[in-house]
Amino acid sequence: MELLFVFGILFVLLFAGMPIGFGIAAATMAGMYFYTNLDMVLLAQYSFSGINSFPVLAIPFFILAGIIMSQGGIAKRIVDFAYSLFGFIYGGLGAVAVFASMIFAAISGSGMATTSAIGSMMIPEMKKHGYDVPYSTTLICSAGIIGPIIPPSISFILYGVVTSTSITDLFLAGLLPGIMIGVVFMVTNYLMCRKM
């Protein structure tokens, strides 16, 4: 019954137009107030202690960096640089999309920021050069998963803070797999473009 009550309040608030974070907080407070004997001051203390961490401070700055790069033209310069490296090979525009996603992920730390910034430029360009829209979209979205793997990564920071794991070790552990995933995507793109 408690779970139904909390989720009911959450969905009512979401359908009313409340932002997700505030809706979750309000539903949690209502559940604590009606179904537990805990002091409501504990909720504020736990909320503050959860965000009172120096490494967590990096997350809003990564998000800000991604927004600034998307709006400021850095993403276009990254694409131009990648095009100068891979534009000449067969299916080079797909390789440019993957390599640009790798570079942007290494700067922003976010898969969503990478996909939106690179995808908004590369999908129309790939369509103009004869790539199928479903293929282009799939390639960009797949390359976006490199964002949480190549350091610096928001996911690694959160994991390191929650589990008290060294964030430096996590970053070092993600470097080689992120590069390997990008190389595999580029090789797969080359082979698929050869078959088309």
Side-chain angles (χ1 to χ4, degrees):
M1 184 65 187
E2 295 90 354
L3 196 61
L4 188 63
F5 174 77
V6 170
F7 277 108
I9 289 180
L10 175 63
F11 287 121
V12 166
L13 293 174
L14 292 180
F15 284 121
M18 183 177 277
I20 294 173
F22 293 121
I24 291 172
T28 303
M29 285 192 293
M32 278 183 68
Y33 183 77
F34 288 112
Y35 288 105
T36 66
N37 295 326
L38 296 173
D39 190 6
M40 293 300 287
V41 175
L42 286 175
L43 184 64
Q45 290 174 342
Y46 285 141
S47 299
F48 178 75
S49 66
I51 62 170
N52 188 23
S53 171
F54 185 71
V56 174
L57 192 61
I59 295 171
F61 287 123
F62 281 147
I63 294 169
L64 178 65
I67 292 169
I68 290 171
M69 286 187 297
S70 297
Q71 301 299 319
I74 296 175
K76 177 154 183 18
R77 289 187 179 103
I78 290 172
V79 170
D80 292 342
F81 171 68
Y83 193 79
S84 69
L85 294 176
F86 297 104
F88 65 93
I89 64 173
Y90 199 82
L93 216 50
V96 167
V98 174
F99 190 71
S101 295
M102 290 171 66
I103 295 174
F104 197 87
I107 299 171
S108 72
S110 169
M112 290 178 284
T114 301
T115 304
S116 65
I118 303 299
S120 64
M121 287 182 297
M122 290 303 298
I123 291 174
E125 192 69 24
M126 291 172 80
K127 182 180 177 184
K128 194 165 69 178
H129 283 83
Y131 286 78
D132 293 339
V133 174
Y135 176 76
S136 305
T137 308
T138 305
L139 183 65
I140 299 287
C141 290
S142 300
I145 68 163
I146 301 172
I149 299 170
I150 288 185
S153 166
I154 293 173
S155 306
F156 283 171
I157 292 171
L158 286 175
Y159 181 82
V161 168
V162 170
T163 62
S164 299
T165 307
S166 169
I167 296 173
T168 306
D169 291 345
L170 289 171
F171 282 178
L172 289 173
L175 186 61
L176 186 60
I179 293 171
M180 288 174 59
I181 291 170
V183 169
V184 167
F185 282 154
M186 284 192 256
V187 170
T188 305
N189 169 68
Y190 175 79
L191 295 175
M192 290 188 74
C193 289
R194 277 290 190 198
K195 284 174 63 176
M196 289 185 197

